[in-house]
């Protein structure tokens, strides 16, 4: 019981930031050791403060819980979903390259926009996606996804953006 309380977000039941970071460090080690792709998806509900201001924090909490359930239903067992804080969520996806992660992000963006997370009002989310490059840390991976998320917000919200591909290593086709 104590372990569950220490590792989960009280509101959504998802992994909290501390547990997510522990799992992510282990998964990054595996990805490096076995040379498989690993991607991170950052998502943030658009205009969430407005939901709380107009409908109250209890309604905002319900939206977050419903969002967590919706996302969890569309992930693989190997994916890790956590609440980073506030209305920000992360998904760590082993054996998933940037293109595959972008496809999942777009699927989730569309699902959220088409769902009734809030009565008689649409809710949208913005997404930032990054793929682990050799030698990167969790901090690097998260910073890249966060930059992409910021770009999605600044370009109008309710969209998916990826880290700049120029930052990705170019594979050697002779290997």
């Amino acid at each position: 019981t104590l372990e569950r309380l220490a590792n989960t977000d009280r509101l959504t039941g998802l992994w909290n930031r501390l547990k997510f970071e522990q799992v992510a460090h282990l998964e990054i080690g595996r990805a490096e050791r076995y040379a498989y792709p690993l991607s991170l998806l950052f998502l943030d509900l658009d205009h969430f403060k407005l939901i709380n201001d107009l409908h109250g924090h209890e309604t905002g909490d319900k939206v977050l819980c419903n969002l967590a359930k919706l996302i969890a239903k569309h992930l693989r067992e190997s994916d890790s979903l956590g609440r980073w804080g506030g209305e920000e969520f992360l998904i760590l996806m082993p054996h998933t390259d940037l293109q595959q992660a972008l496809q999942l992000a777009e699927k989730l963006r569309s699902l959220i926009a088409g769902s009734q997370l809030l009565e008689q009002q649409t809710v949208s989310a913005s997404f930032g996606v990054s793929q682990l490059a050799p030698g990167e840390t969790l901090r690097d991976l998260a910073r890249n996804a966060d930059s992409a998320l910021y770009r999605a917000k600044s370009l109008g919200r309710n969209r998916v953006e990826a880290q700049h591909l120029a930052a990705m290593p170019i594979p050697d086709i002779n290997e």
Side-chain angles (χ1 to χ4, degrees):
T1 301
L2 287 175
E3 185 176 344
R4 183 180 50 77
L5 289 172
N7 292 328
T8 57
D9 172 62
R10 197 180 79 216
L11 178 64
T12 63
L14 300 177
W15 284 348
N16 62 22
R17 186 173 179 159
L18 177 65
K19 177 65 176 176
F20 189 91
E21 287 177 348
Q22 290 171 346
V23 170
H25 287 297
L26 292 172
E27 210 49 71
I28 287 170
R30 282 189 200 108
E32 289 177 343
R33 189 175 319 114
Y34 300 111
Y36 62 75
L38 177 72
S39 293
L40 180 71
L41 189 153
F42 238 124
L43 73 109
D44 183 84
L45 283 177
D46 297 327
H47 305 293
F48 186 70
K49 183 182 180 319
L50 193 58
I51 293 170
N52 280 335
D53 290 349
L54 294 176
H55 303 282
H57 289 277
E58 188 176 321
T59 298
D61 288 350
K62 287 179 186 175
V63 168
L64 293 174
C65 291
N66 291 338
L67 174 68
K69 289 175 191 169
L70 176 68
I71 293 169
K73 284 194 297 191
H74 294 278
L75 299 180
R76 304 170 302 179
E77 192 173 315
S78 60
D79 297 333
S80 300
L81 172 62
R83 185 173 176 207
W84 196 245
E87 67 276 10
E88 289 186 326
F89 296 83
L90 292 110
I91 303 168
L92 188 68
M93 299 162 288
H95 301 282
T96 306
D97 64 25
L98 188 64
Q99 190 59 43
Q100 294 164 323
L102 284 167
Q103 289 172 354
L104 175 64
E106 181 55 36
K107 174 185 172 183
L108 293 174
R109 187 207 60 75
S110 181
L111 278 168
I112 292 166
S115 296
Q116 285 293 81
L117 296 175
L118 182 62
E119 268 186 42
Q120 299 175 3
Q121 184 179 336
T122 58
V123 174
S124 66
S126 297
F127 293 78
V129 182
S130 64
Q131 181 181 332
L132 185 70
E136 282 188 335
T137 65
L138 175 57
R139 178 173 288 181
D140 299 323
L141 185 64
R143 184 178 51 243
N144 290 337
D146 192 44
S147 284
L149 172 62
Y150 181 80
R151 198 166 46 258
K153 293 275 190 185
S154 68
L155 291 173
R157 295 182 165 79
N158 192 25
R159 62 184 292 136
V160 175
E161 289 291 325
Q163 72 186 88
H164 289 296
L165 294 178
M168 292 293 297
I170 299 170
D172 184 351
I173 57 172
N174 297 319
E175 285 185 11

